Amino acid sequence: MTWNIVSDSSCDMRMSGFAGGGIHFEIVPLRLQVGNREFIDNDALEIPELLEAMAAEKTASSTACPSPAAFARAFEKGDKTVCFTISANLSGTYNAAVMGREMVLEEHPEKEICVIDSKATAGAMVLLIRRAKELMEADPEGRDFEGICAQLRLYQAALRTCFTLENFDNLIKNGRMRPLVGTLLHSLGIHVIADGTPQGTIRVVGKARGEAKTYKAITALMKDSKDCIGAEVVISHCENLASAIKLKEQILQDLPVKSVDIISCRGLTSFYAMEKGLIIGY
């Protein structure tokens, strides 16, 4: 019996960094279109190269979700599979994964496949993957597949995501922010702070000037959004390790969390967060 964890590439984990023992782990990559160039969001993608291409491109860039067939190929590698996707309100990836599930079950009805909408991205998906691994290790024979899926759905509902941006070029090019506003925010050192709703959408909750005020505003937002006692936190940074470390220190100072881990953004999250962006899953 083979346990299988599948995620799309918005999770910010690398396949090369997953130590699963007998648990198979696979990331199904999204594609990023920048001008005439296509970037595949796999472990080999060089983020500085992607950001440089986006900065040089005058037109709006775009993303494309994986195909149902790509998910089906990943699902076929396990007997019991749990799949996590970026919020269905932000991408068609969840629907593609559900279609991939149906394709596999039509040929292999004996397999069990659970697709869970993370209603988030980045660190929240990392936490879901880690929890899935723990539950699978506790049930190596897969006797309680439905129970594990139910626990993961409950855990997902308790997770939260917030983020802060310093670079607004992508928002401007995609028509989501006026150029004058973006230039003004950047010149004044103003950071936009946003969070994910329980429905998996994004809302801007405030702005702060300077790093110190931004990080204090983030920890206040985290405190207001849920009970953080014993919470695990994952910070994804887009080419901004120094700021991620400062934010980690602020979180540990202000909140009674269990741990704070720092990871680098993959392609999809770098595409949206842009250089110096920070995404917090907790």
Side-chain angles (χ1 to χ4, degrees):
M1 203 286 296
T2 303
W3 274 115
N4 190 23
I5 301 175
V6 175
S7 172
D8 67 62
S9 59
S10 71
C11 69
D12 281 345
M13 288 184 69
R14 271 69 176 174
M15 287 178 59
S16 58
F18 183 84
I23 300 171
H24 181 264
F25 175 60
E26 184 157 344
I27 291 176
V28 182
L30 286 94
R31 291 174 287 121
L32 315 170
Q33 192 70 38
V34 183
N36 294 324
R37 299 181 64 183
E38 182 179 73
F39 294 85
I40 307 300
D41 191 10
N42 55 27
D43 280 15
L45 177 62
E46 296 290 340
I47 301 304
E49 182 181 353
L50 170 66
L51 294 173
E52 183 179 344
M54 291 177 64
E57 179 57 42
K58 302 301 182 184
T59 62
S61 302
S62 61
T63 64
C65 65
S67 68
F71 278 108
R73 288 191 293 270
F75 295 161
E76 286 175 343
K77 297 176 182 178
D79 299 306
K80 299 177 186 292
T81 297
V82 175
C83 172
F84 303 107
T85 73
I86 187 173
S87 172
N89 278 315
L90 302 177
S91 168
T93 301
Y94 172 77
N95 290 330
V98 171
M99 291 176 65
R101 174 183 182 272
E102 298 309 312
M103 291 167 62
V104 172
L105 293 180
E106 186 173 342
E107 295 292 326
H108 302 282
E110 76 283 358
K111 291 184 181 292
E112 294 182 276
I113 304 169
C114 171
V115 180
I116 297 177
D117 176 2
S118 75
K119 294 184 170 60
T121 187
M125 292 176 69
V126 173
L127 294 172
L128 281 164
I129 291 166
R130 290 178 180 175
R131 180 61 59 90
K133 180 175 178 286
E134 293 172 358
L135 294 171
M136 291 173 180
E137 288 174 338
D139 184 12
E141 301 302 319
R143 292 189 174 90
D144 190 20
F145 181 77
E146 292 301 328
I148 286 176
C149 294
Q151 289 188 63
L152 289 169
R153 288 192 176 94
L154 285 173
Y155 185 54
Q156 176 279 315
L159 294 174
R160 297 290 182 269
T161 298
C162 63
F163 61 92
T164 179
L165 304 180
E166 290 187 46
N167 188 315
F168 311 105
D169 287 352
N170 202 23
L171 294 176
I172 293 169
K173 290 176 183 177
N174 283 278
R176 297 182 181 180
M177 179 180 285
R178 288 183 291 132
L180 179 61
V181 174
T183 301
L184 185 62
L185 290 173
H186 184 73
S187 64
L188 293 176
I190 293 176
H191 302 230
V192 171
I193 300 168
D195 70 355
T197 69
Q199 295 76 35
T201 57
I202 293 172
R203 63 184 175 190
V204 175
V205 295
K207 300 179 183 71
R209 189 171 184 177
E211 282 190 340
K213 291 182 179 179
T214 299
Y215 302 155
K216 290 293 289 185
I218 288 172
T219 59
L221 173 63
M222 293 172 67
K223 182 179 180 180
D224 289 343
S225 67
K226 66 179 281 185
D227 182 354
C228 290
I229 295 176
E232 297 176 82
V233 181
V234 176
I235 301 172
S236 297
H237 72 90
C238 183
E239 301 298 299
N240 195 10
L241 178 59
S243 293
I245 291 172
K246 292 178 182 177
L247 176 57
K248 174 180 178 176
E249 292 171 349
Q250 192 70 58
I251 292 172
L252 291 172
Q253 176 181 316
D254 293 351
L255 300 172
V257 300
K258 177 182 177 182
S259 61
V260 180
D261 293 332
I262 298 174
I263 61 177
S264 300
C265 287
R266 290 179 62 109
L268 191 281
T269 49
S270 294
F271 180 91
Y272 287 110
M274 294 298 293
E275 190 171 7
K276 295 189 177 181
L278 299 173
I279 308 172
I280 305 95
Y282 59 102

